[in-house]
């Protein structure tokens, strides 16, 4: 069958397991399917099929026992519901203020496989360091935003460049959406200036302002919104 014939005909497929990749209903159907997931000692933090377990304790043995018990519970639930735990992608990390236990490793396993320790795990695209300063994540984001600013600069050629309206739309799509990703998680970090520097580069490209120009001035010239981290800071801890 040629490609033209395949695109003209609607081919029905029956899925015996899983949900269609990219389907609009897929996340909702998956949430319904796991709505009876078993209760665990740890707090479950889930987004689609990405699940994180968080447990707080004052004794390392209690943390280790709770995590092992919860992983065993989830493994049994997955097996009964035809789901599969990705053991290769499953890691653990510990966050505490005791510098003497920085190198401590816990004995955590599931189905006979030891869970590896990752000092800087990544969850939903956010990189968590041991001190939870999120500095490595913001440094990486800065490089990502600057690479998109380089694309914006190519669109802003002096002789043939795109219009201001096009540059503004491109900046919102390429720079701002990337810079504001998961901003509630890192908006109170002391390293947010890493991202602000990259945003300033995009603003100056659109407005043609020189480097000494303040960011607020560039935003007013183009009526661009402030980054989400500046608009909605997280409340102070009690």
């Amino acid at each position: 069958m040629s490609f033209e014939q395949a695109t003209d005909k609607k081919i029905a497929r029956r899925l015996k397991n899983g949900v269609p990749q990219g389907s609009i209903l897929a996340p909702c159907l998956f949430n319904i399917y796991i709505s009876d997931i078993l209760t665990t000692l740890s707090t479950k933090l889930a987004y689609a099929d990405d699940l994180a377990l968080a447990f707080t304790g004052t004794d390392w043995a209690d943390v280790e026992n709770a995590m092992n018990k919860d992983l065993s519970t989830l493994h049994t639930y997955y097996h009964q519901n035809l789901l599969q735990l990705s053991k290769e992608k499953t890691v653990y990390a510990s966050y505490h203020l005791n510098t003497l236990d920085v190198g401590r490793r816990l004995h955590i396993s599931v189905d006979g496989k030891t869970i590896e320790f990752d000092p800087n795990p990544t969850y939903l695209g956010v990189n968590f360091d041991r001190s939870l300063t999120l500095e490595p994540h913001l440094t990486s984001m800065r490089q990502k935003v600057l690479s998109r600013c380089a694309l914006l600069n190519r669109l802003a050629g002096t002789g043939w460049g795109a219009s201001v309206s096009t540059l503004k739309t491109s900046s919102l799509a390429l720079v701002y959406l990337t810079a504001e990703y998961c901003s509630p998680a890192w908006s109170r970090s002391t390293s947010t200036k890493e991202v602000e520097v990259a945003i300033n580069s995009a603003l100056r490209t659109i407005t043609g302002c020189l480097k000494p120009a303040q960011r607020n001035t560039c935003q007013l010239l183009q009526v661009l919104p402030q980054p989400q981290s500046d608009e909605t800071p997280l409340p102070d801890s009690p």
Side-chain angles (χ1 to χ4, degrees):
M1 180 182 296
S2 65
F3 176 77
E4 292 77 8
Q5 293 174 335
T7 54
D8 291 338
K9 296 181 62 177
K10 295 182 179 180
I11 303 176
R13 300 180 183 276
R14 175 175 295 179
L15 294 177
K16 297 182 179 180
N17 192 10
V19 293
Q21 185 72 23
S23 170
I24 297 177
L25 287 177
C28 182
L29 294 175
F30 185 79
N31 288 336
I32 295 174
Y33 187 75
I34 65 170
S35 61
D36 62 340
I37 191 169
L38 301 178
T39 303
T40 57
L41 298 174
S42 307
T43 300
K44 293 188 288 293
L45 307 171
Y47 182 83
D49 61 343
D50 290 320
L51 178 66
L53 298 177
F55 184 81
T56 303
T58 58
D59 185 81
W60 288 109
D62 294 339
V63 176
E64 187 175 285
N65 293 334
M67 297 304 295
N68 280 314
K69 183 176 181 179
D70 289 345
L71 286 174
S72 177
T73 300
L74 291 178
H75 180 264
T76 302
Y77 172 82
Y78 289 162
H79 180 73
Q80 294 174 348
N81 290 272
L82 303 180
L83 297 173
Q84 186 174 1
L85 174 67
S86 179
K87 303 173 186 176
E88 293 73 18
K89 296 181 180 180
T90 303
V91 297
Y92 80 91
S94 57
Y95 302 95
H96 52 85
L97 299 178
N98 189 353
T99 56
L100 297 178
D101 287 336
V102 171
R104 178 181 287 274
R105 299 294 182 266
L106 303 178
H107 300 287
I108 302 176
S109 61
V110 56
D111 194 28
K113 177 177 175 55
T114 301
I115 303 300
E116 299 295 332
F117 173 77
D118 188 351
N120 298 305
T122 300
Y123 182 63
L124 298 179
V126 179
N127 182 254
F128 295 90
D129 57 293
R130 192 186 73 84
S131 301
L132 293 179
T133 62
L134 297 179
E135 181 179 357
H137 172 73
L138 292 175
T139 301
S140 175
M141 182 185 292
R142 176 178 181 270
Q143 296 301 323
K144 187 181 297 184
V145 173
L146 286 177
S147 66
R148 284 157 172 74
C149 289
L151 295 176
L152 198 65
N153 290 333
R154 290 183 175 272
L155 295 175
T158 56
W160 53 268
S163 65
V164 174
S165 176
T166 301
L167 292 176
K168 175 182 175 181
T169 302
S170 301
S171 176
L172 291 174
L174 295 174
V175 178
Y176 269 70
L177 288 181
T178 302
E180 293 182 352
Y181 176 72
C182 280
S183 59
W186 52 260
S187 60
R188 301 303 294 270
S189 173
T190 57
S191 301
T192 52
K193 293 182 179 180
E194 297 286 344
V195 181
E196 293 176 356
V197 170
I199 293 178
N200 291 346
S201 177
L203 291 173
R204 294 189 180 96
T205 298
I206 299 173
T207 60
C209 292
L210 299 178
K211 191 173 183 179
Q214 296 182 357
R215 186 185 62 183
N216 293 338
T217 303
C218 297
Q219 289 172 338
L220 290 175
L221 288 174
Q222 291 304 321
V223 199
L224 287 174
Q226 291 186 351
Q228 189 71 16
S229 59
D230 292 340
E231 285 186 342
T232 55
L234 294 179
D236 294 331
S237 299

mmCIF file of all heavy atoms in Angstrom, residues 17-33:
data_model
loop_
_atom_site.group_PDB
_atom_site.id
_atom_site.type_symbol
_atom_site.label_atom_id
_atom_site.label_comp_id
_atom_site.label_asym_id
_atom_site.label_seq_id
_atom_site.Cartn_x
_atom_site.Cartn_y
_atom_site.Cartn_z
ATOM 1 N N ASN A 17 -3.308 -2.934 25.017
ATOM 2 C CA ASN A 17 -2.629 -2.459 26.219
ATOM 3 C C ASN A 17 -2.168 -1.027 25.990
ATOM 4 O O ASN A 17 -1.688 -0.690 24.912
ATOM 5 C CB ASN A 17 -1.432 -3.344 26.555
ATOM 6 C CG ASN A 17 -0.880 -3.050 27.937
ATOM 7 O OD1 ASN A 17 -1.490 -2.319 28.711
ATOM 8 N ND2 ASN A 17 0.268 -3.603 28.244
ATOM 9 N N GLY A 18 -2.345 -0.161 26.995
ATOM 10 C CA GLY A 18 -1.893 1.213 26.878
ATOM 11 C C GLY A 18 -2.921 2.112 26.221
ATOM 12 O O GLY A 18 -4.050 1.717 25.938
ATOM 13 N N VAL A 19 -2.509 3.359 25.973
ATOM 14 C CA VAL A 19 -3.369 4.359 25.341
ATOM 15 C C VAL A 19 -2.628 4.935 24.146
ATOM 16 O O VAL A 19 -1.401 4.888 24.077
ATOM 17 C CB VAL A 19 -3.732 5.489 26.327
ATOM 18 C CG1 VAL A 19 -4.608 4.973 27.447
ATOM 19 C CG2 VAL A 19 -2.470 6.135 26.904
ATOM 20 N N PRO A 20 -3.345 5.486 23.164
ATOM 21 C CA PRO A 20 -2.675 6.049 21.988
ATOM 22 C C PRO A 20 -1.754 7.202 22.376
ATOM 23 O O PRO A 20 -2.136 8.090 23.136
ATOM 24 C CB PRO A 20 -3.843 6.538 21.124
ATOM 25 C CG PRO A 20 -5.035 5.787 21.613
ATOM 26 C CD PRO A 20 -4.808 5.550 23.065
ATOM 27 N N GLN A 21 -0.538 7.179 21.844
ATOM 28 C CA GLN A 21 0.427 8.236 22.129
ATOM 29 C C GLN A 21 -0.048 9.548 21.511
ATOM 30 O O GLN A 21 -0.338 9.617 20.330
ATOM 31 C CB GLN A 21 1.804 7.859 21.566
ATOM 32 C CG GLN A 21 2.904 8.834 21.915
ATOM 33 C CD GLN A 21 3.292 8.760 23.377
ATOM 34 O OE1 GLN A 21 3.071 7.735 24.017
ATOM 35 N NE2 GLN A 21 3.854 9.823 23.915
ATOM 36 N N GLY A 22 -0.113 10.602 22.329
ATOM 37 C CA GLY A 22 -0.516 11.903 21.823
ATOM 38 C C GLY A 22 -2.010 12.117 21.766
ATOM 39 O O GLY A 22 -2.464 13.183 21.353
ATOM 40 N N SER A 23 -2.787 11.143 22.193
ATOM 41 C CA SER A 23 -4.241 11.291 22.166
ATOM 42 C C SER A 23 -4.695 12.301 23.213
ATOM 43 O O SER A 23 -4.122 12.396 24.304
ATOM 44 C CB SER A 23 -4.915 9.939 22.427
ATOM 45 O OG SER A 23 -6.297 10.096 22.635
ATOM 46 N N ILE A 24 -5.736 13.071 22.895
ATOM 47 C CA ILE A 24 -6.259 14.072 23.827
ATOM 48 C C ILE A 24 -6.842 13.402 25.070
ATOM 49 O O ILE A 24 -6.718 13.895 26.188
ATOM 50 C CB ILE A 24 -7.325 14.943 23.131
ATOM 51 C CG1 ILE A 24 -6.695 15.714 21.965
ATOM 52 C CG2 ILE A 24 -7.971 15.900 24.122
ATOM 53 C CD1 ILE A 24 -7.679 16.542 21.186
ATOM 54 N N LEU A 25 -7.482 12.247 24.869
ATOM 55 C CA LEU A 25 -8.122 11.551 25.983
ATOM 56 C C LEU A 25 -7.157 10.664 26.771
ATOM 57 O O LEU A 25 -7.524 10.162 27.828
ATOM 58 C CB LEU A 25 -9.282 10.696 25.475
ATOM 59 C CG LEU A 25 -10.543 11.435 25.025
ATOM 60 C CD1 LEU A 25 -11.558 10.435 24.472
ATOM 61 C CD2 LEU A 25 -11.150 12.223 26.164
ATOM 62 N N ALA A 26 -5.959 10.464 26.247
ATOM 63 C CA ALA A 26 -5.030 9.521 26.873
ATOM 64 C C ALA A 26 -4.739 9.848 28.342
ATOM 65 O O ALA A 26 -4.837 8.963 29.202
ATOM 66 C CB ALA A 26 -3.734 9.455 26.067
ATOM 67 N N PRO A 27 -4.385 11.100 28.710
ATOM 68 C CA PRO A 27 -4.123 11.381 30.133
ATOM 69 C C PRO A 27 -5.337 11.129 31.017
ATOM 70 O O PRO A 27 -5.202 10.594 32.122
ATOM 71 C CB PRO A 27 -3.738 12.865 30.128
ATOM 72 C CG PRO A 27 -3.284 13.148 28.741
ATOM 73 C CD PRO A 27 -4.131 12.272 27.865
ATOM 74 N N CYS A 28 -6.527 11.507 30.535
ATOM 75 C CA CYS A 28 -7.741 11.303 31.333
ATOM 76 C C CYS A 28 -8.031 9.814 31.512
ATOM 77 O O CYS A 28 -8.365 9.360 32.607
ATOM 78 C CB CYS A 28 -8.915 12.002 30.661
ATOM 79 S SG CYS A 28 -10.475 11.871 31.579
ATOM 80 N N LEU A 29 -7.884 9.057 30.439
ATOM 81 C CA LEU A 29 -8.125 7.611 30.521
ATOM 82 C C LEU A 29 -7.124 6.938 31.453
ATOM 83 O O LEU A 29 -7.483 6.030 32.216
ATOM 84 C CB LEU A 29 -8.048 6.992 29.127
ATOM 85 C CG LEU A 29 -9.145 7.420 28.141
ATOM 86 C CD1 LEU A 29 -8.868 6.826 26.764
ATOM 87 C CD2 LEU A 29 -10.518 6.988 28.634
ATOM 88 N N PHE A 30 -5.880 7.389 31.412
ATOM 89 C CA PHE A 30 -4.857 6.798 32.272
ATOM 90 C C PHE A 30 -5.155 7.109 33.737
ATOM 91 O O PHE A 30 -4.992 6.247 34.612
ATOM 92 C CB PHE A 30 -3.475 7.315 31.888
ATOM 93 C CG PHE A 30 -2.354 6.663 32.650
ATOM 94 C CD1 PHE A 30 -1.899 5.401 32.307
ATOM 95 C CD2 PHE A 30 -1.768 7.311 33.727
ATOM 96 C CE1 PHE A 30 -0.876 4.795 33.012
ATOM 97 C CE2 PHE A 30 -0.744 6.715 34.440
ATOM 98 C CZ PHE A 30 -0.300 5.453 34.079
ATOM 99 N N ASN A 31 -5.583 8.336 34.024
ATOM 100 C CA ASN A 31 -5.921 8.697 35.405
ATOM 101 C C ASN A 31 -7.086 7.863 35.926
ATOM 102 O O ASN A 31 -7.118 7.477 37.097
ATOM 103 C CB ASN A 31 -6.265 10.183 35.480
ATOM 104 C CG ASN A 31 -5.040 11.061 35.315
ATOM 105 O OD1 ASN A 31 -3.928 10.633 35.579
ATOM 106 N ND2 ASN A 31 -5.254 12.289 34.886
ATOM 107 N N ILE A 32 -8.053 7.608 35.062
ATOM 108 C CA ILE A 32 -9.186 6.763 35.458
ATOM 109 C C ILE A 32 -8.712 5.339 35.737
ATOM 110 O O ILE A 32 -9.146 4.688 36.698
ATOM 111 C CB ILE A 32 -10.277 6.783 34.375
ATOM 112 C CG1 ILE A 32 -10.881 8.182 34.245
ATOM 113 C CG2 ILE A 32 -11.368 5.764 34.682
ATOM 114 C CD1 ILE A 32 -11.863 8.314 33.107
ATOM 115 N N TYR A 33 -7.800 4.866 34.919
ATOM 116 C CA TYR A 33 -7.331 3.487 35.044
ATOM 117 C C TYR A 33 -6.590 3.263 36.364
ATOM 118 O O TYR A 33 -6.703 2.194 36.974
ATOM 119 C CB TYR A 33 -6.417 3.159 33.860
ATOM 120 C CG TYR A 33 -6.013 1.713 33.782
ATOM 121 C CD1 TYR A 33 -6.909 0.739 33.343
ATOM 122 C CD2 TYR A 33 -4.736 1.309 34.156
ATOM 123 C CE1 TYR A 33 -6.543 -0.594 33.279
ATOM 124 C CE2 TYR A 33 -4.354 -0.019 34.084
ATOM 125 C CZ TYR A 33 -5.267 -0.967 33.641
ATOM 126 O OH TYR A 33 -4.894 -2.293 33.594
#
